[in-house]
mmCIF file of all heavy atoms in Angstrom:
data_model
loop_
_atom_site.group_PDB
_atom_site.id
_atom_site.type_symbol
_atom_site.label_atom_id
_atom_site.label_comp_id
_atom_site.label_asym_id
_atom_site.label_seq_id
_atom_site.Cartn_x
_atom_site.Cartn_y
_atom_site.Cartn_z
ATOM 1 N N LEU A 336 -55.153 25.173 -26.458
ATOM 2 C CA LEU A 336 -53.753 24.961 -26.704
ATOM 3 C C LEU A 336 -53.485 25.428 -28.195
ATOM 4 O O LEU A 336 -54.291 25.130 -29.122
ATOM 5 C CB LEU A 336 -53.521 23.485 -26.649
ATOM 6 C CG LEU A 336 -53.901 22.640 -25.441
ATOM 7 C CD1 LEU A 336 -53.449 21.262 -25.483
ATOM 8 C CD2 LEU A 336 -53.222 23.369 -24.229
ATOM 9 N N ASP A 337 -52.255 26.150 -28.450
ATOM 10 C CA ASP A 337 -51.961 26.438 -29.779
ATOM 11 C C ASP A 337 -51.034 25.325 -30.291
ATOM 12 O O ASP A 337 -49.864 25.242 -29.608
ATOM 13 C CB ASP A 337 -51.305 27.810 -29.860
ATOM 14 C CG ASP A 337 -52.335 28.922 -29.638
ATOM 15 O OD1 ASP A 337 -53.354 28.822 -30.185
ATOM 16 O OD2 ASP A 337 -51.884 30.020 -28.851
ATOM 17 N N ILE A 338 -51.351 24.625 -31.168
ATOM 18 C CA ILE A 338 -50.690 23.390 -31.603
ATOM 19 C C ILE A 338 -49.896 23.671 -32.955
ATOM 20 O O ILE A 338 -50.467 24.193 -33.954
ATOM 21 C CB ILE A 338 -51.684 22.265 -31.745
ATOM 22 C CG1 ILE A 338 -52.298 21.952 -30.544
ATOM 23 C CG2 ILE A 338 -50.801 21.026 -32.250
ATOM 24 C CD1 ILE A 338 -51.393 21.591 -29.224
ATOM 25 N N GLY A 339 -48.584 23.315 -33.096
ATOM 26 C CA GLY A 339 -47.935 23.177 -34.181
ATOM 27 C C GLY A 339 -47.889 21.906 -34.841
ATOM 28 O O GLY A 339 -47.517 20.851 -34.251
ATOM 29 N N ARG A 340 -48.493 21.685 -36.102
ATOM 30 C CA ARG A 340 -48.578 20.399 -36.659
ATOM 31 C C ARG A 340 -48.455 20.481 -38.217
ATOM 32 O O ARG A 340 -49.069 21.223 -38.977
ATOM 33 C CB ARG A 340 -50.001 19.775 -36.362
ATOM 34 C CG ARG A 340 -50.133 18.404 -37.114
ATOM 35 C CD ARG A 340 -51.763 17.905 -36.857
ATOM 36 N NE ARG A 340 -51.989 17.848 -35.410
ATOM 37 C CZ ARG A 340 -53.287 17.567 -34.957
ATOM 38 N NH1 ARG A 340 -54.298 17.411 -35.838
ATOM 39 N NH2 ARG A 340 -53.526 17.401 -33.714
ATOM 40 N N ASN A 341 -47.346 19.705 -38.635
ATOM 41 C CA ASN A 341 -47.098 19.789 -40.127
ATOM 42 C C ASN A 341 -46.920 21.072 -40.752
ATOM 43 O O ASN A 341 -47.397 21.343 -41.738
ATOM 44 C CB ASN A 341 -48.181 18.909 -40.924
ATOM 45 C CG ASN A 341 -48.279 17.453 -40.390
ATOM 46 O OD1 ASN A 341 -47.274 16.850 -40.060
ATOM 47 N ND2 ASN A 341 -49.552 16.958 -40.337
ATOM 48 N N GLY A 342 -46.196 22.001 -40.037
ATOM 49 C CA GLY A 342 -45.900 23.294 -40.501
ATOM 50 C C GLY A 342 -46.982 24.222 -40.377
ATOM 51 O O GLY A 342 -46.826 25.446 -40.650
ATOM 52 N N SER A 343 -48.114 23.934 -39.793
ATOM 53 C CA SER A 343 -49.325 24.855 -39.522
ATOM 54 C C SER A 343 -49.653 24.931 -38.162
ATOM 55 O O SER A 343 -49.325 24.034 -37.307
ATOM 56 C CB SER A 343 -50.453 24.463 -40.394
ATOM 57 O OG SER A 343 -50.984 23.233 -40.024
ATOM 58 N N THR A 344 -50.387 25.960 -37.686
ATOM 59 C CA THR A 344 -50.721 26.079 -36.315
ATOM 60 C C THR A 344 -52.341 26.087 -36.242
ATOM 61 O O THR A 344 -53.033 26.642 -37.106
ATOM 62 C CB THR A 344 -50.339 27.518 -35.734
ATOM 63 O OG1 THR A 344 -48.699 27.585 -35.906
ATOM 64 C CG2 THR A 344 -50.679 27.645 -34.313
ATOM 65 N N LYS A 345 -52.889 25.442 -35.200
ATOM 66 C CA LYS A 345 -54.265 25.341 -34.998
ATOM 67 C C LYS A 345 -54.492 25.288 -33.478
ATOM 68 O O LYS A 345 -53.654 25.084 -32.656
ATOM 69 C CB LYS A 345 -54.853 24.015 -35.597
ATOM 70 C CG LYS A 345 -54.288 22.783 -34.938
ATOM 71 C CD LYS A 345 -54.803 21.511 -35.725
ATOM 72 C CE LYS A 345 -56.225 21.479 -35.626
ATOM 73 N NZ LYS A 345 -57.010 20.242 -36.199
ATOM 74 N N GLN A 346 -55.690 25.607 -33.133
ATOM 75 C CA GLN A 346 -56.220 25.665 -31.682
ATOM 76 C C GLN A 346 -57.041 24.445 -31.372
ATOM 77 O O GLN A 346 -57.946 24.073 -32.196
ATOM 78 C CB GLN A 346 -56.864 26.902 -31.452
ATOM 79 C CG GLN A 346 -55.876 28.219 -31.299
ATOM 80 C CD GLN A 346 -56.751 29.368 -30.863
ATOM 81 O OE1 GLN A 346 -58.003 29.418 -30.734
ATOM 82 N NE2 GLN A 346 -55.954 30.425 -30.297
ATOM 83 N N ILE A 347 -56.704 23.925 -30.127
ATOM 84 C CA ILE A 347 -57.441 22.658 -29.697
ATOM 85 C C ILE A 347 -57.760 22.924 -28.160
ATOM 86 O O ILE A 347 -56.990 23.399 -27.562
ATOM 87 C CB ILE A 347 -56.592 21.453 -29.818
ATOM 88 C CG1 ILE A 347 -56.579 20.998 -31.241
ATOM 89 C CG2 ILE A 347 -57.435 20.276 -29.184
ATOM 90 C CD1 ILE A 347 -55.738 19.762 -31.582
ATOM 91 N N ASP A 348 -59.010 22.861 -27.929
ATOM 92 C CA ASP A 348 -59.514 22.953 -26.403
ATOM 93 C C ASP A 348 -59.573 21.610 -25.827
ATOM 94 O O ASP A 348 -60.007 20.496 -26.480
ATOM 95 C CB ASP A 348 -60.962 23.549 -26.486
ATOM 96 C CG ASP A 348 -61.120 24.969 -26.892
ATOM 97 O OD1 ASP A 348 -60.041 25.658 -26.791
ATOM 98 O OD2 ASP A 348 -62.106 25.433 -27.522
ATOM 99 N N VAL A 349 -59.100 21.550 -24.691
ATOM 100 C CA VAL A 349 -59.033 20.376 -23.849
ATOM 101 C C VAL A 349 -59.317 20.559 -22.475
ATOM 102 O O VAL A 349 -58.862 21.715 -21.947
ATOM 103 C CB VAL A 349 -57.650 19.528 -24.036
ATOM 104 C CG1 VAL A 349 -56.481 20.403 -23.624
ATOM 105 C CG2 VAL A 349 -57.672 18.247 -23.406
#
Side-chain angles (χ1 to χ4, degrees):
L336 311 181
D337 289 321
I338 301 299
R340 180 187 295 172
N341 299 325
S343 61
T344 302
K345 62 182 300 184
Q346 285 190 338
I347 294 179
D348 293 333
V349 62

